[in-house]
Every structure is written in structure tokens, then in C-alpha cells.
Amino acid sequence: MKIFCIGRNYVAHALELGNDVPEEPVIFLKPKSALLPLGTQFNYPEFTNELHYECELVLRVSKNGRYVPERHASKYYDAISVGIDFTARDIQQELKTKGLPWEKAKAWDHSAILGSWRPFSDYSAKPSIEFSLQKDGETVQKGDSSLMIYSFNRIVAEISKYFTLQIGDLIFTGTPAGVGEVFPGDVLEGFIENESLFKLEVK
Ligand code: MN
């Protein structure tokens, strides 16, 4: 199982971190060990002093494939959830400044949080899918799939130019504006529309 992540897929988020809006999707990966197993406590990592949440819609790959054309891409995922791409922002800034890879900031153990799955068909007829993140009961991020620079299908097509898609792979589709810091004791809850799909306390 692979975890694909898309960076800078919302204009407002790219700008809030001082990045250019990308001319093609920014793709990076997390290893399987990045996924927090269900029921496991999430501990604030000792190597960072600036842990950020990034709430994102997540797709589950349902079909193996390579070189998937965009017009067929919707056949390659069947479930959707919401998750967090946890980021050690201080480490990422340092790596970006040096032009080094991001893994120490993004791909560490338990840096990927995943909510419960819903069938994609529940949402596929809608023009957009709204999602949000609450911190201690207050909404801190609000996203809407219609604001993505690169659509689900474009992302699937782009990823599959470089990597074989395999059943069970996950795709984190990028975070909207409003990323911010978390501290031990904070409770994060992720929603698609009004439905809570995960709730997590930072220990
Ligand atoms: Mn992200």
C-alpha cells in the first residue's frame, strides 16, 4: 500500500505558505508506516516544535493501473474520507530552504490520519464535496473539492504516469487554507459535510 499526497492543490493554501501556484500537481509519498493504525494513540513527535494539521479529502484506489487517462480515472477509486497530512512545519521550512527532500517533515510514523470510508458514489453526483476540520470544537479549516486546482481525475491520471496504482493505495488530495499549529491536548475532528469521520486527541 502506498500513500500519495498532493501538495499545493488550493490556491489560497499555496499563497498562505508563500508558494507559487504549481503548473502541474505536486506529488509526494508517505510510507505505509506513516498511517496511524485505528485505535492507536497519536503522540506529539519529539523532533518538531511546530506541528501543523493539514485536513484533506482522501481517496481509496480500487483498481490497479498505470497510464490511466483522465477520462477513465473515475473508475480507479471507490471510496472517500477525510484525513490529516501532519507536517513538521519547522523541519519542512529548513528542508525547503536547503532544497532537500521533505520526508523528515511529512513521512514520519503516524503522520497520516485517516477517517472512516464512505462510498464515493454517495457524493459523485454532487458538484462539490465540502469538508472541514474542527480543533477543540471550533472550525479551523473548511474545504470544497470544487476549489481544487487539480481535480480527482486529473490527480489520478498524473500519479499513474509515474507510479502503478494498486488497490488499497491512498491519495491525500491537498489541503485548503487555514493550516495551523497543534499542541498536546488538542482534539481534532474531521468532517465531510456534517458527518464526523475521525476524532483524534494529540497526546
Ligand atoms: Mn498536505
Side-chain angles (χ1 to χ4, degrees):
M1 187 267 274
K2 305 185 287 303
I3 305 172
F4 299 105
C5 300
I6 303 301
R8 303 174 198 167
N9 202 20
Y10 292 81
V11 172
H13 170 64
L15 298 180
E16 77 179 342
L17 292 184
N19 294 310
D20 294 333
V21 175
E23 284 165 15
E24 56 182 67
V26 174
I27 300 170
F28 61 96
L29 284 90
K30 297 185 188 239
K32 190 178 172 186
S33 49
L35 193 64
L36 182 74
L38 256 183
T40 303
Q41 178 172 301
F42 177 81
N43 297 311
Y44 194 104
E46 59 184 27
F47 47 78
T48 179
N49 291 308
E50 193 184 6
L51 181 66
H52 272 203
Y53 54 77
E54 293 188 358
C55 182
E56 314 195 358
L57 289 171
V58 185
L59 301 176
R60 185 178 67 194
V61 172
S62 57
K63 191 172 162 154
N64 299 338
R66 183 91 201 269
Y67 303 115
V68 176
E70 195 173 335
R71 67 184 184 281
H72 293 150
S74 65
K75 299 190 187 84
Y76 286 77
Y77 51 90
D78 67 351
I80 187 164
S81 188
V82 71
I84 297 180
D85 164 22
F86 268 123
T87 304
R89 195 69 74 198
D90 48 352
I91 295 176
Q92 188 192 32
Q93 281 308 342
E94 189 184 327
L95 295 171
K96 275 164 72 177
T97 306
K98 294 178 181 166
L100 293 171
W102 281 358
E103 277 82 354
K104 288 195 325 188
K106 286 274 197 186
W108 36 275
D109 284 6
H110 302 171
S111 61
I113 309 302
L114 183 62
S116 316
W117 292 112
R118 291 294 174 268
F120 191 80
S121 55
D122 287 3
Y123 303 96
S124 48
K126 301 187 175 193
S128 71
I129 303 170
E130 289 172 13
F131 63 105
S132 61
L133 181 73
Q134 291 185 4
K135 188 172 93 163
D136 298 329
E138 243 180 71
T139 301
V140 289
Q141 273 194 296
K142 247 171 140 47
D144 178 332
S145 61
S146 67
L147 298 176
M148 297 193 306
I149 301 168
Y150 299 107
S151 68
F152 296 141
N153 291 342
R154 174 74 195 280
I155 290 168
V156 166
E158 195 71 21
I159 288 172
S160 74
K161 285 184 193 171
Y162 302 89
F163 307 99
T164 299
L165 293 169
Q166 293 171 296
I167 294 172
D169 288 348
L170 308 180
I171 304 174
F172 282 67
T173 59
T175 196
V179 300
E181 217 175 339
V182 280
F183 299 94
D186 288 348
V187 175
L188 299 171
E189 189 168 12
F191 296 80
I192 294 185
E193 295 173 351
N194 292 320
E195 195 175 10
S196 171
L197 297 184
F198 71 79
K199 192 170 185 175
L200 176 86
E201 183 177 351
V202 178
K203 293 287 187 181

